[in-house]
Amino acid sequence: MLTIENLHANVDDKAILKGLNIEVKPGEVHAIMGPNGAGKSTLGNVLSGRDGYEVTQGKAFLSGKEILELEPEERAGEGLFLAFQYPVEIPGVSNLEFLKASMDAIRKYRGEEEIDSVSFMKLAREKCKAVNLDQNFLKRGVNEGFSGGEKKRNEIMQMMMLEPKMCILDETDSGLDIDALQVVAQGVNSLRSPDRSFVVVTHYQRLLDFIVPDYVHVLADGKIVKSGGKELALELEEKGYGWIEGEVA
Amino acid sequence: MSETMNFIDQATTFVSSHESQSKTQWLADFRLQQQTRFSQNQWPTRKTENWKYTSLNALQQANFNQPSQASSTIDESAYAIENLNAQTLVFVDGVFDATRSQLDIDSNASVCLFSEANEKQQALIQNYLGKASGNSSNIFTHLNGSLTHDGLLIHVAKGQTASPIHVVHYASSQTQAATAQSRHLFVVEDNAQAAVIEHFASVESNGNSLFNQLTEIELGNNAHLHHYRLHLEDEQMIHLGAMHANLQRDAQLNSFHLALGGKIKRIDIEVNYQGSGAHSDVNGVYLTKNRQHVDYHTNMEHAVPHCTTSEVFRGIMDDNSKAVFNGRIHIHPQAQKTLAELSNKNLLLSNKAEINTKPELEIYADDVRCAHGATVSQMDNNALFYLLSRGISREEAERMLSFGFINELIDGVKHEAIGAYLRPVIAELFGNQQHLAECDL
């Protein structure tokens, strides 16, 4: 599904990613953990094509297609979805028109017909309910005045609407209380399927109690320095990141 | 200056030769007094501070012929607002058109033309005409006064709540290279409430047509007016107009302004606080493209204590267009405990577009809270990336963000029918995207 080969990326001419490799097969959930400053958020931003993140070396393939040369909106059309660590507030643009524009654009990219308003509304209400968001949120400006938890639930709600094949969750658990965390995890788990994959980027093991990963990778200084099964996360939680850096050195 | 002489000469000749036609002595007296003010004022040039960024050169092609008959061919769909539930008064080229108007006698408002005013209404007009705009130094205010042969009075008596009144001014093709003008006087007495929508529309390509609309508002103690002034005329038109309001104790004015660009659109807005505890919300939107020009000059006169102003204007300029925003807040020495906030944000969509924004605070009292800010910017990159990352094309994302920037103010208007009317008009301006306008649940 997602293959990243020897990825190097700079931010403001400073090397952040320094040769990252990862292979995510269809249906798999990979967790990427690591200390602050390791390059966790950079990975999501580079993959989704944010300005200011310069790829200096390496490749990334989504279902065999090289994506690093594509525009951000084309990557979304190819089925990539980034759940933001800090979702943006856009007053004046309602969630509803945002979601409709987004669905229409992605369907158009895939060569499908636009969804009619009635089916769209039905779907939007249904997904709101699934992540425990009041329907009135649909009428409000995108993330406008939402609490931290509501913003994250809105990200998951968008994911449910757009049905991407490759989801990257960038520290979706940061700032969430345990109830919101469970809602988010339930949303993600409901989307797990043999032809959809997830990369869950997180600082803490806690989220992985609810979204159980197939593989755990440790990202340090721009590279994957250790990979293992879900038990690696527990080990990290117990011992911190220091022992890995020691082991690698 | 010489290039505008043609118009000044015409105007002056017209003003001085106009008197014999009068039927009502009190109105003739008013005109005479305004003529004196008109002749005392200098014709504005680019050296006049209040006209620094707005050239009147386009007036050289204007003509001072005034239509006296309403045109019969007009497009009624150009001004219809669905679900407004208002009585409608239609003026075509400045002349009242009874056949297109719908008057409702149960509206709790008394509405009349100056020329048809009964004794009581005449007394009101005589008492208030020229009062709110009395301190104006704008020559077009006095030009308007010099030529006031008729006008519209809306009067809401003490304690009454009037249903909304939609006042339409439509410029037909017969105003091409001609001038029309009109005058409104809204008197809302103590504890009364009203909503008035002033709506300007025209035929397309109405070249060199000039309109001068002066509105005076008098709000009594604890009176409340929702006021809208919508300028949706063709881009070839010139509009030189003004709104002046006097607010007595605890009066509230909610005034919303919108202007699409024209050859010149210059609107002066003035609020005079005359009783303590009065409040006004004055918000506005201007949207220009091609070679259009819009100029809003606002002036909040805080002459008494404990009054509050909240003022937000936003503009988007594209192509070679130009806008001017000058927001003055004047706090007199005795106006202690004033709270005033002014914000003006602008979005430039082209390298050649221009905005001249100037917040102007003059504070002579020491116990007040006053904030102002003006920004000029391009798109918010974080918001843009958020939309792109959801598959939306750059072009459309930019349209959505521009629309959202303006829609934030439209969402704030009290009468949802007006929001629903304006959203598609604005969406079309940003590229006719259907779903921008459809945000109903």
Side-chain angles (χ1 to χ4, degrees):
Chain A
M1 178 70 75
L2 178 69
T3 309
I4 302 173
E5 292 173 358
N6 192 30
L7 184 62
H8 288 69
N10 288 0
V11 179
D12 293 332
D13 289 331
K14 188 171 178 251
I16 306 290
L17 297 182
K18 303 169 183 171
L20 188 140
N21 293 288
I22 198 169
E23 166 85 39
V24 180
K25 295 204 171 69
E28 289 178 353
V29 175
H30 289 236
I32 295 183
M33 302 181 71
N36 290 327
K40 297 196 301 289
S41 285
T42 300
L43 178 62
N45 284 321
V46 166
L47 289 176
S48 55
R50 193 180 199 120
D51 275 352
Y53 292 80
E54 189 200 352
V55 176
T56 51
Q57 240 191 90
K59 288 193 163 124
F61 300 91
L62 182 60
S63 304
K65 187 163 185 168
E66 164 70 79
I67 56 165
L68 295 180
E69 296 300 318
L70 299 179
E71 293 297 325
E73 62 273 27
E74 294 170 325
R75 300 181 199 198
E78 292 292 336
L80 184 73
F81 183 96
L82 173 69
F84 282 56
Q85 182 178 7
Y86 303 110
V88 185
E89 295 196 20
I90 313 178
V93 176
S94 78
N95 264 301
L96 210 54
E97 64 184 283
F98 163 62
L99 278 170
K100 182 75 164 66
S102 175
M103 274 191 90
D104 286 350
I106 285 176
R107 282 176 164 242
K108 192 176 161 197
Y109 187 91
R110 291 183 191 151
E112 296 167 7
E113 274 186 32
E114 282 189 8
I115 186 169
D116 67 89
S117 303
V118 177
S119 318
F120 168 76
M121 279 312 309
K122 192 167 166 255
L123 195 64
R125 288 202 194 99
E126 199 180 288
K127 301 305 182 196
C128 257
K129 207 172 163 190
V131 293
N132 210 3
L133 274 179
D134 191 287
Q135 281 180 29
N136 284 322
F137 279 83
L138 290 169
K139 281 200 273 191
R140 282 167 54 181
V142 174
N143 293 319
E144 187 186 1
F146 287 24
S147 71
E150 286 163 349
K151 283 180 183 165
K152 297 295 173 73
R153 279 185 272 155
N154 194 18
E155 295 292 289
I156 303 303
M157 190 263 185
Q158 290 168 30
M159 196 190 281
M160 291 173 144
M161 293 288 284
L162 299 175
E163 300 186 322
K165 56 187 179 191
M166 182 69 238
C167 309
I168 299 167
L169 279 67
D170 187 9
E171 307 217 15
T172 298
D173 51 338
S174 64
L176 289 192
D177 62 32
I178 192 72
D179 294 334
L181 195 69
Q182 285 189 14
V183 172
V184 164
Q186 272 167 19
V188 171
N189 288 332
S190 74
L191 283 171
R192 287 180 79 157
S193 84
D195 45 15
R196 180 175 294 126
S197 311
F198 293 84
V199 169
V200 180
V201 176
T202 180
H203 191 81
Y204 304 104
Q205 185 271 337
R206 191 178 62 157
L207 178 65
L208 306 180
D209 288 342
F210 302 101
I211 305 173
V212 181
D214 300 303
Y215 298 95
V216 174
H217 309 277
V218 180
L219 179 65
D221 195 27
K223 283 187 286 236
I224 302 290
V225 294
K226 193 173 179 65
S227 298
K230 60 184 181 218
E231 60 290 341
L232 178 57
L234 294 169
E235 211 174 336
L236 286 167
E237 182 77 0
E238 201 178 312
K239 300 185 187 169
Y241 290 106
W243 67 276
I244 292 204
E245 280 160 12
E247 198 172 81
V248 171
Chain B
M1 206 162 91
S2 57
E3 61 268 19
T4 51
M5 282 309 280
N6 180 34
F7 182 81
I8 308 172
D9 284 350
Q10 278 193 52
T12 313
T13 316
F14 199 84
V15 165
S16 56
S17 68
H18 217 59
E19 232 11 78
S20 53
Q21 306 166 14
S22 87
K23 275 182 281 182
T24 332
Q25 191 51 45
W26 56 270
L27 206 49
D29 293 344
F30 175 73
R31 283 195 299 274
L32 211 59
Q33 172 232 330
Q34 290 287 304
Q35 281 169 31
T36 314
R37 297 283 304 268
F38 174 74
S39 57
Q40 282 165 352
N41 269 297
Q42 291 280 317
W43 188 263
T45 69
R46 299 293 289 275
K47 287 180 185 149
T48 314
E49 183 60 28
N50 275 340
W51 292 87
K52 195 170 173 184
Y53 301 105
T54 296
S55 159
L56 289 169
N57 281 350
L59 282 184
Q60 65 185 296
Q61 281 140 22
N63 187 301
F64 222 77
N65 294 327
Q66 297 203 358
S68 56
Q69 296 247 306
S71 167
S72 53
T73 51
I74 78 169
D75 175 12
E76 294 182 20
S77 68
Y79 57 79
I81 299 181
E82 268 180 58
N83 303 319
L84 187 59
N85 298 323
Q87 57 175 328
T88 308
L89 306 170
V90 179
F91 293 79
V92 179
D93 306 329
V95 180
F96 182 63
D97 185 337
T99 57
R100 293 192 170 90
S101 300
Q102 286 179 314
L103 293 168
D104 172 10
I105 41 168
D106 299 325
S107 73
N108 287 334
S110 102
V111 176
C112 72
L113 297 177
F114 291 179
S115 56
E116 291 166 7
N118 62 29
E119 225 169 277
K120 196 179 147 208
Q121 289 165 327
Q122 278 194 32
L124 274 169
I125 299 168
Q126 288 185 56
N127 189 22
Y128 289 119
L129 191 64
K131 216 170 173 182
S133 67
N135 291 322
S136 173
S137 60
N138 185 331
I139 193 167
F140 295 101
T141 299
H142 306 297
L143 178 60
N144 184 294
S146 303
L147 302 171
T148 297
H149 285 266
D150 209 342
L152 170 69
L153 170 71
I154 296 177
H155 170 226
V156 185
K158 274 183 187 165
Q160 298 287 338
T161 299
S163 49
I165 301 173
H166 186 196
V167 184
V168 176
H169 280 280
Y170 186 86
S172 80
S173 54
Q174 71 165 355
T175 56
Q176 282 216 13
T179 297
Q181 73 144 24
S182 92
R183 194 161 185 117
H184 294 165
L185 175 60
F186 306 149
V187 180
V188 185
E189 290 188 2
D190 297 356
N191 303 311
Q193 289 186 40
V196 180
I197 301 98
E198 297 181 300
H199 188 168
F200 301 86
S202 75
V203 286
E204 282 173 32
S205 328
N206 209 11
N208 297 319
S209 165
L210 168 64
F211 203 89
N212 178 346
Q213 157 64 39
L214 188 79
T215 300
E216 291 180 298
I217 295 169
E218 293 283 345
L219 300 186
N221 295 336
N222 200 34
H224 196 157
L225 175 68
H226 278 280
H227 168 250
Y228 301 83
R229 182 160 175 152
L230 311 175
H231 285 278
L232 303 169
E233 309 105 321
D234 183 73
E235 65 170 355
Q236 293 299 317
M237 280 196 68
I238 300 172
H239 191 115
L240 303 164
M243 179 212 97
H244 296 268
N246 283 342
L247 273 58
Q248 305 306 324
R249 187 173 52 76
D250 298 326
Q252 266 200 58
L253 173 68
N254 292 78
S255 188
F256 178 84
H257 298 257
L258 181 137
L260 308 186
K263 191 167 269 175
I264 308 172
K265 280 189 190 170
R266 162 65 183 253
I267 318 294
D268 287 12
I269 296 166
E270 182 181 55
V271 177
N272 298 301
Y273 293 96
Q274 301 184 329
S276 66
H279 171 76
S280 73
D281 266 303
V282 179
N283 297 331
V285 168
Y286 43 93
L287 304 161
T288 60
K289 56 183 186 176
N290 303 328
R291 306 195 65 86
Q292 300 166 355
H293 185 106
V294 170
D295 178 346
Y296 273 109
H297 265 63
T298 72
N299 184 24
M300 302 291 150
E301 289 286 347
H302 282 271
V304 295
H306 292 287
C307 291
T308 50
T309 291
S310 163
E311 183 178 355
V312 180
F313 272 76
R314 287 191 179 180
I316 300 182
M317 282 59 64
D318 200 354
D319 304 323
N320 291 291
S321 67
K322 181 173 167 179
V324 181
F325 177 80
N326 192 107
R328 179 171 183 255
I329 296 176
H330 180 192
I331 303 179
H332 296 241
Q334 64 276 25
Q336 299 294 0
K337 306 284 181 193
T338 294
L339 297 180
E341 284 183 357
L342 164 64
S343 151
N344 174 231
K345 289 187 183 171
N346 298 283
L347 197 58
L348 294 173
L349 299 184
S350 129
N351 290 333
K352 289 181 179 153
E354 186 179 327
I355 170 72
N356 296 282
T357 171
K358 190 168 102 181
E360 223 182 309
L361 299 188
E362 275 182 57
I363 305 175
Y364 301 101
D366 54 13
D367 187 12
V368 301
R369 207 162 73 208
C370 210
H372 71 91
T375 62
V376 179
S377 63
Q378 271 141 16
M379 287 292 165
D380 174 351
N381 278 329
N382 287 329
L384 191 61
F385 178 66
Y386 195 65
L387 299 187
L388 296 179
S389 79
R390 298 298 181 252
I392 299 167
S393 71
R394 185 170 292 266
E395 196 188 356
E396 186 167 354
E398 286 177 355
R399 268 200 298 261
M400 289 177 76
L401 292 177
S402 302
F403 179 81
F405 179 70
I406 295 306
N407 191 39
E408 223 186 317
L409 290 187
I410 309 280
D411 278 347
V413 305
K414 154 113 173 137
H415 293 83
E416 181 41 40
I418 293 171
Y421 170 76
L422 289 176
R423 278 185 204 100
V425 172
I426 294 167
E428 197 184 323
L429 218 63
F430 294 116
N432 204 8
Q433 289 294 298
Q434 267 300 307
H435 54 247
L436 287 185
E438 288 171 8
C439 42
D440 271 358
L441 257 188

